[in-house]
Amino acid sequence: MNSDGSIGNVRAFVHLAHGFGARNWRDRQQRGEVVGLNERLPYGYFWAAENGFKVRYSEDDPESLPARVIRLFVRGVLGFDFIHAWRNRGGILDSDVVWTHTESQHLAVLLLLRLRRRRRRRPKVIAQSIWLFDHWPRFLPPRRAFYRWLLSRADLLTVHSPANLQRARALFPHIRSELVLYGIRTDAMRDLPRPAIQSPIHLLALGNDEHRDWHTAIAAVRGWKDCVLQIASRSLRDNKIRGIGNVTKAAPRSMNELEALYDWTNIVVLPLRRNLHASGITVILEATSYGIPVICTDTGGLRAYFSDDEVLYVPPYDVQELRRAITRLASDDDRRRTQVERARNRIGSKNLSSRSYALRHAELSRELLYTAEQNSLTEPQSAAAGPQAKNSVTPPKHSAGWTVAVAVLLAATGLGVPVHAAEPEKSPAGAAGTIDLCAFRPTFTEDFNSLNVSGREDDRGRWYSHTPWNGDFGDAVFSDPKPGFPFTVHDGVLRIEARKDADGKWRSGLLSSVHPDGTGFVQHYGYFEARAKLPPGPGVWPAFWLNTNPPQGSTDPGVEIDAIEYYGQFTSAYHSALHIWDNSGGNQNRVADHIIQVDDGSLTREFHTFGVDVEPDWIKFYRDRRETWRVETPPELTRPLMLLVNLALGSGWPIDKTPNPSVMEIDYVHAYEPALSGRTQGCG
């Protein structure tokens, strides 16, 4: 500390993902391979030198193929790249403060500091998160506890959106959390000539984020002869646009190719799924810099950056409203010009530049270091421990060996399973028992002696081969029925088959008891059961589940009840779950999840029944008609439930070793309602 109480030169270490090392970045920049309005070093953290910081970036060590495989394996187990942090430990431990860009880096740095906790001095850590809080509900309790333990040593949590800030402060109330608005290089603003739009309208959509909603964007322009859409994304599967003449996929590999796309474009479209982390902010900033107006999904806290006058917002998943917005903006030359001008003014007034972004990191770092310096003068520390972070939880003392043991234990208990974490379970004593079907009467009986399934919205089969809200999922396309695939019936058993096409793309099947227009079988309370034998092999993801179906545009919460959700990698357990889906835009989804242990391989060797009894007070889950778990019925369950059964693939797990073909067998799907007038004859 200087004589005036200020902090002098500060050593800041910027730890970024593997592939963003300083030398690697410079080499790629020189070759023109860094696509986008990027600084000479990633994210512009070097601008902090203006505030007296000596900034050093992480580097990518050369690695052999075996070393890379080991690093990626450890990353897959832990959920973050610890080996990359270990290789950069010299720069990390020699710094005054460490800046990270995503949770994959800050969790690795925090584990490294745990392992090196005997050092008298440790750097401050500004732990910036992007996807962590979106993913948090999907973590198993062991992973969640592990991450909490690591984050208790963070000095400051930073995020890019108010939605993420709210979640961070709710999850970690004892750790200081701050909003740091993101910015990009702003010295490349250029006024491209933007004449009146001629037919067809040229639309561009960009990004690789998992929260891009390509389905809605494609549906909005499908068959629209006055509109052409190019999607520049590695996350878009080719089969999603196959046969759609006015939608193409672009793959810019250099700045020249990206600029050519912007030169071609009239409007940038940014379709998003609901998220917390300001997904797409880079695209909005970049498009504005190139003088192009943006239509964007209203989610993720993007209004903290741009208002309605600067970006044309549309509701999530609303195909018709997106199409109307395209028409409106394309036909209004003044609106497009004014919108871009206002967005550019906003970039200036809110300092949405990478320079301001870096200087904000410098300011926060000086605050942390000044506070630590003051604490060291007034509160003597023991020789064995460094100063704790302000408002942080003081962690228990553990050895490095204990830390490694925790990581191994978490891996052994299925740390990487991307499923929803459980809320506190509501299981009164003596709840386990069997269900008495004589107390019910049948309302829906599907024994698969034949099959009546439609793949078109205007057909009226007993089953529909997609979800009625067009929200198909997984790494295999749910196919319309055709002779012999994906549904076949033999001897009263339905087979749902997943297999690769000649082009190597996976296809499979789903059955829903409700059609897109809302017709079909639904029931509010009662017992729902399927008897099935599951497919073996990693990557399979079969399920029998119930779901409410709020009308399109409704803000009512959705309720999903999973009688069984099975992940083929884990042969001795399956999941039952209750999900509450928030459709109000507040991202307040809730979940209760329970893992049911079974004999290893038993679910794929033989048939079992999987059932759920939905009552006004309890939801009870059964296997082979014996209760496995129960949870209180949520007040959000105000709509009746439809039936769904499917064989999906993936759920975040690789499918390169999934057996081709894979087959799920279903003996029956039944539904019952309480028999109020006495016991049902011939039940069971």
Side-chain angles (χ1 to χ4, degrees):
M1 180 182 291
N2 297 326
S3 59
D4 61 357
S6 63
I7 302 293
N9 286 336
V10 179
R11 294 167 297 175
F13 188 83
V14 182
H15 185 62
L16 301 179
H18 192 277
F20 287 75
R23 287 191 298 270
N24 184 20
W25 185 271
R26 289 193 191 96
D27 291 343
R28 291 169 56 210
Q29 281 272 37
Q30 291 175 0
R31 295 193 300 267
E33 296 173 356
V34 178
V35 180
L37 289 178
N38 295 287
E39 298 279 6
R40 59 181 177 84
L41 286 173
Y43 309 112
Y45 288 104
F46 62 85
W47 284 107
E50 293 184 359
N51 200 322
F53 278 65
K54 298 175 66 175
V55 182
R56 177 180 173 187
Y57 277 74
S58 57
E59 295 289 358
D60 304 328
D61 280 5
E63 58 184 0
S64 62
L65 179 59
R68 174 178 170 79
V69 170
I70 292 171
R71 179 176 63 80
L72 294 178
F73 173 77
V74 173
R75 188 181 73 178
V77 170
L78 296 178
F80 53 82
D81 199 344
F82 176 70
I83 290 180
H84 179 51
W86 180 262
R87 292 171 180 170
N88 282 276
R89 64 189 180 279
I92 292 170
L93 298 173
D94 191 46
S95 64
D96 299 306
V97 60
V98 178
W99 298 337
T100 61
H101 202 69
T102 77
E103 54 277 358
S104 181
Q105 292 87 61
H106 69 59
L107 292 170
V109 169
L110 292 168
L111 179 56
L112 174 68
L113 296 180
R114 285 280 192 180
L115 293 171
R116 307 282 293 193
R117 63 175 286 112
R118 293 184 179 180
R119 293 174 60 93
R120 182 181 179 90
R121 173 194 162 280
R122 77 169 186 91
K124 298 295 178 185
V125 178
I126 296 182
Q128 181 167 275
S129 296
I130 305 295
W131 300 280
L132 180 65
F133 303 119
D134 280 295
H135 293 172
W136 192 265
R138 301 208 302 260
F139 296 149
L140 280 176
R143 170 170 282 193
R144 217 169 50 205
F146 183 39
Y147 286 2
R148 282 187 183 277
W149 180 66
L150 292 175
L151 283 164
S152 69
R153 296 301 299 271
D155 300 279
L156 176 66
L157 305 181
T158 60
V159 292
H160 293 335
S161 81
N164 245 348
L165 181 64
Q166 181 180 6
R167 182 64 58 86
R169 289 176 172 172
L171 290 172
F172 300 97
H174 301 293
I175 307 175
R176 180 185 173 190
S177 301
E178 294 288 346
L179 173 66
V180 178
L181 295 181
Y182 184 67
I184 67 169
R185 175 185 162 203
T186 56
D187 62 351
M189 293 270 187
R190 59 173 179 162
D191 291 317
L192 299 179
R194 296 292 171 189
I197 295 177
Q198 304 296 320
S199 182
I201 306 164
H202 289 182
L203 302 177
L204 177 64
L206 307 97
N208 302 303
D209 191 302
E210 64 186 59
H211 288 98
R212 291 297 193 272
D213 180 16
W214 300 131
H215 175 84
T216 297
I218 293 168
V221 303
R222 181 193 294 266
W224 189 1
K225 62 182 179 61
D226 294 326
C227 186
V228 177
L229 170 65
Q230 287 201 70
I231 301 177
S233 175
R234 296 189 302 273
S235 66
L236 175 67
R237 294 172 176 268
D238 292 340
N239 65 328
K240 297 295 184 183
I241 60 173
R242 187 174 297 122
I244 305 176
N246 64 331
V247 181
T248 58
K249 183 176 178 179
R253 294 182 174 84
S254 68
M255 271 304 297
N256 288 338
E257 293 179 5
L258 179 65
E259 289 180 345
L261 281 176
Y262 277 125
D263 289 343
W264 171 88
T265 303
N266 300 131
I267 299 169
V268 165
V269 176
L270 184 58
L272 301 169
R273 300 174 183 174
R274 289 193 175 96
N275 68 91
L276 300 175
H277 67 272
S279 176
I281 183 57
T282 302
V283 170
I284 299 178
L285 292 168
E286 196 168 82
T288 300
S289 297
Y290 279 98
I292 304 170
V294 178
I295 299 172
C296 177
T297 306
D298 190 3
T299 187
L302 290 170
R303 288 181 180 273
Y305 294 82
F306 296 97
S307 71
D308 290 289
D309 292 332
E310 298 141 5
V311 167
L312 182 53
Y313 288 105
V314 295
Y317 315 119
D318 194 328
V319 172
Q320 294 304 319
E321 190 59 36
L322 176 56
R323 185 161 181 158
R324 283 192 288 268
I326 294 169
T327 301
R328 174 186 173 191
L329 200 55
S331 61
D332 192 336
D333 298 344
D334 290 338
R335 167 67 192 250
R336 294 196 309 278
R337 182 180 63 257
T338 302
Q339 182 174 309
V340 171
E341 290 174 352
R342 289 173 174 170
R344 288 186 166 187
N345 290 336
R346 176 69 66 174
I347 290 176
S349 64
K350 299 199 75 149
N351 295 319
L352 301 179
S353 68
S354 48
R355 178 176 175 271
S356 296
Y357 175 69
L359 293 176
R360 179 60 177 151
H361 276 74
E363 293 169 2
L364 292 170
S365 299
R366 288 195 180 277
E367 290 178 19
L368 292 175
L369 294 167
Y370 178 80
T371 301
E373 188 71 24
Q374 290 294 310
N375 289 342
S376 69
L377 294 175
T378 59
E379 300 178 10
Q381 304 288 323
S382 68
Q388 296 295 328
K390 181 181 179 182
N391 295 328
S392 67
V393 178
T394 303
K397 294 181 179 180
H398 302 288
S399 67
W402 190 92
T403 303
V404 174
V406 168
V408 173
L409 176 62
L410 289 167
T413 56
L415 175 66
V417 183
V419 296
H420 296 280
E423 293 177 344
E425 296 174 15
K426 309 287 186 178
S427 298
T434 59
I435 190 164
D436 181 10
L437 290 189
C438 291
F440 296 86
R441 70 176 188 87
T443 54
F444 181 92
T445 302
E446 175 61 90
D447 291 326
F448 295 116
N449 295 314
S450 61
L451 182 64
N452 183 5
V453 55
S454 59
R456 299 188 337 184
E457 296 185 13
D458 55 351
D459 285 345
R460 285 297 174 269
R462 190 178 202 191
W463 296 97
Y464 180 60
S465 59
H466 302 276
T467 61
W469 57 86
N470 291 321
D472 291 355
F473 50 88
D475 293 330
V477 177
F478 292 140
S479 300
D480 292 342
K482 60 182 180 180
F485 183 80
F487 312 104
T488 55
V489 169
H490 183 68
D491 291 337
V493 175
L494 168 70
R495 291 164 50 92
I496 302 180
E497 181 179 350
R499 73 179 183 214
K500 289 184 180 179
D501 283 345
D503 59 0
K505 305 296 184 181
W506 282 93
R507 292 187 173 275
S508 190
L510 174 145
L511 295 179
S512 165
S513 67
V514 168
H515 294 257
D517 63 358
T519 59
F521 175 80
V522 294
Q523 183 172 300
H524 201 150
Y525 297 118
Y527 179 65
F528 308 84
E529 183 181 84
R531 184 172 185 265
K533 183 166 70 171
L534 308 183
V540 297
W541 183 24
F544 168 56
W545 49 300
L546 317 175
N547 206 83
T548 58
N549 186 30
Q552 185 174 1
S554 171
T555 59
D556 292 347
V559 177
E560 174 186 331
I561 303 172
D562 299 326
I564 175 173
E565 192 170 8
Y566 175 73
Y567 302 90
Q569 291 83 349
F570 304 96
T571 56
S572 59
Y574 70 93
H575 292 254
S576 294
L578 168 67
H579 300 266
I580 311 299
W581 300 112
D582 177 22
N583 294 320
S584 67
N587 291 295
Q588 299 300 312
N589 299 328
R590 308 198 317 273
V591 63
D593 183 29
H594 186 66
I595 300 175
I596 297 94
Q597 301 294 327
V598 298
D599 292 338
D600 189 42
S602 62
L603 300 182
T604 60
R605 289 194 303 266
E606 55 207 20
F607 282 89
H608 293 269
T609 62
F610 306 95
V612 57
D613 181 15
V614 182
E615 302 174 1
D617 52 353
W618 292 99
I619 298 174
K620 304 174 185 178
F621 296 81
Y622 294 83
R623 184 182 78 256
D624 297 331
R625 296 184 179 170
R626 292 193 63 84
E627 186 176 337
T628 57
W629 180 51
R630 63 170 61 185
V631 65
E632 285 183 314
T633 303
E636 291 85 355
L637 185 57
T638 60
R639 295 180 180 274
L641 297 154
M642 61 181 158
L643 304 166
L644 300 104
V645 60
N646 62 263
L647 173 54
L649 300 183
S651 185
W653 292 97
I655 59 173
D656 56 324
K657 295 183 180 179
T658 301
N660 181 26
S662 291
V663 176
M664 179 184 185
E665 297 181 78
I666 302 101
D667 184 20
Y668 62 74
V669 176
H670 291 169
Y672 306 81
E673 67 178 8
L676 301 179
S677 59
R679 296 174 63 81
T680 303
Q681 298 296 319
C683 54

